[in-house]
Amino acid sequence: MGRPPCCDKIGVKKGPWTPEEDISLVSYIQQNGPGNWRSVPTNTGLLRCSKSCRLRWTNYLRPGIKRGNFSEQEEKMIIHLQALLGNRWAAIASYLPQRTDNDIKNYWNTHLKKKLEKLNEISDDENHHHHHHHNHHHHHNRRSKRCHSSTSSSSCDQTSISKGQWERRLQTDIHMAKQALCDALSLDNKSINLPKSPLSNQTSSSSYASSAENIAKLLPNWMNSSKKSSQTSSESVETTQTTQCSLINQQVMITSPLSEGYNNSIQFGYINNNSLIHNNIQKNNNYSNYSNSDVSQSVSPERSMFLDHESKPKMEDQMPPLSLLEKWLFDEAATQSDLMNMSLEESDDFF
DNA sequence: AATGAGGTCAACCGCGTACGG
DNA sequence: TCCGTACGCGGTTGACCTCAT
């Protein structure tokens, strides 16, 4: 039979989170850092399962999350990465540091997939100008429309591939890593048409409330009703942001040797965006027991690779730094088949 | 104004994997 | 090495919203 439920169904709340629950979770994580989710419901009194707490934190409450308003560059990145990696949303999200995998997945399913389908239709019409393609868009009900149509050869139906998923991913990652190295060894600025700090163009005036803003809204109320903490709401939020900024700085240090000449790269856009916050935060870091490994649990594995040097490398850790992918990500002429056609043996030699 | 179709997205579910004992 | 379980991921759901009729 199936595995037993992850948590006791009786007395465990489900559904949307209330502001009070958010406050409770945020204040606990402020004091203890993310991770050890099992203990969260017990220690906070939240009537939620640990999984729900983790999800709420990583997808909504975690600082540094940008919501909605995907830029054109982000769109392109998602499309390119999805074509290359398939529906590996966590891996894709690691190249869009302010986006959650859930957000990217939703955006893909609701916007990009349709967009690409339309584009494909157009190209189909061009290719088969006089051919009758009928019933291509049959009347499917709402559910069947979801997920099952793929706009790229490598997405969705991974089970149809004879190779194991693990093997396939490994191969893809090796290809990517190799390509990244090739790029790094033959940098050619002229061929790069990089966006100008796309992420830094995103301002806090976005019509979507950022997670930090959400927390900031919540915490004053919490402070009024609680005497346990002496933190002000803004300090509380800023503290978490400081932690993330330190994260970012480490990423710069590690990736910059390969990023020379890419000063307008995305990673710097990301950093610039956050340095605005960083400038305002130099005080009251109450995450004294908030170790790097704790931090790394709040970010995806790909992101945490920049922090946790002692951890055992995971498969996705073989991904090249973002800056190395930019070249082909933003080069419309780049052919992904070039990447995919490289043999595994070559890759083995390379490493 | 009512209603239903379609869109959006936060949250859940189930599975695979990692990890500790 | 094996086993139990916590974690993380991707697929899916359903509540809520907008818009057309």
Side-chain angles (χ1 to χ4, degrees):
Chain A
M1 297 301 273
R3 138 189 337 196
C6 75
C7 50
D8 185 13
K9 299 284 182 195
I10 301 160
V12 175
K13 199 179 166 203
K14 285 160 66 171
W17 280 63
T18 65
E20 290 77 18
E21 288 175 312
D22 281 344
I23 290 163
S24 179
L25 180 59
V26 167
S27 62
Y28 176 79
I29 291 173
Q30 278 180 344
Q31 288 163 23
N32 301 285
N36 195 12
W37 297 108
R38 193 164 66 110
S39 66
V40 173
T42 332
N43 294 342
T44 59
L46 285 167
L47 300 175
R48 298 274 182 174
C49 68
S50 56
K51 217 171 178 178
S52 183
C53 294
R54 179 179 57 82
L55 211 66
R56 183 63 181 170
W57 171 256
T58 56
N59 284 341
Y60 195 81
L61 298 174
R62 179 165 59 86
I65 294 177
K66 189 170 70 175
R67 313 190 65 79
N69 292 345
F70 280 78
S71 69
E72 208 172 307
Q73 284 73 31
E74 286 177 305
E75 253 185 38
K76 279 186 181 178
M77 276 192 84
I78 294 168
I79 291 167
H80 273 109
L81 287 166
Q82 201 279 341
L84 184 76
L85 301 172
N87 296 355
R88 293 171 57 198
W89 306 116
I92 292 170
S94 70
Y95 293 99
L96 294 149
Q98 294 179 301
R99 302 292 187 179
T100 68
D101 53 354
N102 208 37
D103 226 14
I104 291 171
K105 180 172 61 181
N106 282 334
Y107 191 65
W108 171 265
N109 286 330
T110 57
H111 294 91
L112 298 181
K113 212 161 72 174
K114 273 175 285 181
K115 215 170 182 175
L116 289 182
E117 277 168 5
K118 274 185 184 172
L119 285 175
N120 284 347
E121 282 169 27
I122 291 165
S123 64
D124 274 0
D125 288 343
E126 285 169 358
N127 292 339
H128 309 101
H129 199 64
H130 296 108
H131 287 78
H132 213 63
H133 59 213
H134 52 275
N135 288 339
H136 201 64
H137 320 104
H138 29 262
H139 295 68
H140 27 222
N141 65 34
R142 243 183 107 191
R143 290 298 165 218
S144 67
K145 267 202 293 188
R146 297 173 190 271
C147 174
H148 295 111
S149 66
S150 170
T151 49
S152 90
S153 58
S154 62
S155 64
C156 244
D157 189 13
Q158 299 192 4
T159 56
S160 66
I161 297 165
S162 58
K163 283 180 187 169
Q165 194 179 41
W166 183 91
E167 192 181 356
R168 185 176 161 274
R169 288 182 180 188
L170 180 61
Q171 187 170 351
T172 305
D173 292 342
I174 290 169
H175 286 323
M176 286 182 67
K178 184 184 175 181
Q179 176 64 24
L181 266 172
C182 291
D183 286 350
L185 294 171
S186 59
L187 294 177
D188 179 9
N189 283 338
K190 290 175 190 171
S191 67
I192 301 161
N193 186 20
L194 286 174
K196 206 166 139 191
S197 300
L199 299 185
S200 65
N201 292 335
Q202 305 288 327
T203 67
S204 59
S205 63
S206 155
S207 61
Y208 291 80
S210 73
S211 60
E213 286 165 345
N214 286 339
I215 298 166
K217 284 178 196 165
L218 297 173
L219 281 168
N221 299 329
W222 172 70
M223 287 306 301
N224 291 338
S225 62
S226 169
K227 296 172 184 172
K228 285 181 184 175
S229 169
S230 60
Q231 281 185 316
T232 68
S233 62
S234 60
E235 283 167 352
S236 303
V237 172
E238 285 170 357
T239 302
T240 23
Q241 286 169 337
T242 305
T243 309
Q244 176 148 22
C245 286
S246 65
L247 226 167
I248 296 156
N249 289 337
Q250 292 183 52
Q251 179 174 347
V252 179
M253 289 174 61
I254 293 162
T255 59
S256 58
L258 293 173
S259 308
E260 287 175 11
Y262 288 81
N263 290 334
N264 282 333
S265 69
I266 288 170
Q267 73 178 44
F268 283 92
Y270 170 46
I271 287 148
N272 290 339
N273 194 30
N274 284 272
S275 65
L276 294 173
I277 303 166
H278 198 200
N279 288 337
N280 294 327
I281 312 158
Q282 299 293 336
K283 56 181 182 182
N284 291 326
N285 189 338
N286 289 333
Y287 277 92
S288 54
N289 57 346
Y290 197 140
S291 68
N292 273 354
S293 58
D294 285 335
V295 174
S296 68
Q297 291 180 33
S298 72
V299 298
S300 69
E302 287 80 2
R303 262 171 274 167
S304 67
M305 68 184 277
F306 297 111
L307 297 172
D308 194 357
H309 306 298
E310 290 176 16
S311 68
K312 190 174 149 191
K314 295 173 81 172
M315 217 156 46
E316 278 89 358
D317 292 348
Q318 296 171 30
M319 295 254 188
L322 175 59
S323 61
L324 301 175
L325 284 165
E326 289 166 350
K327 183 174 182 294
W328 65 265
L329 280 175
F330 292 103
D331 183 357
E332 292 292 85
T335 56
Q336 289 148 20
S337 59
D338 289 343
L339 289 180
M340 302 309 288
N341 287 338
M342 288 188 294
S343 75
L344 197 57
E345 290 77 12
E346 273 181 276
S347 301
D348 289 339
D349 293 339
F350 210 89
F351 295 106

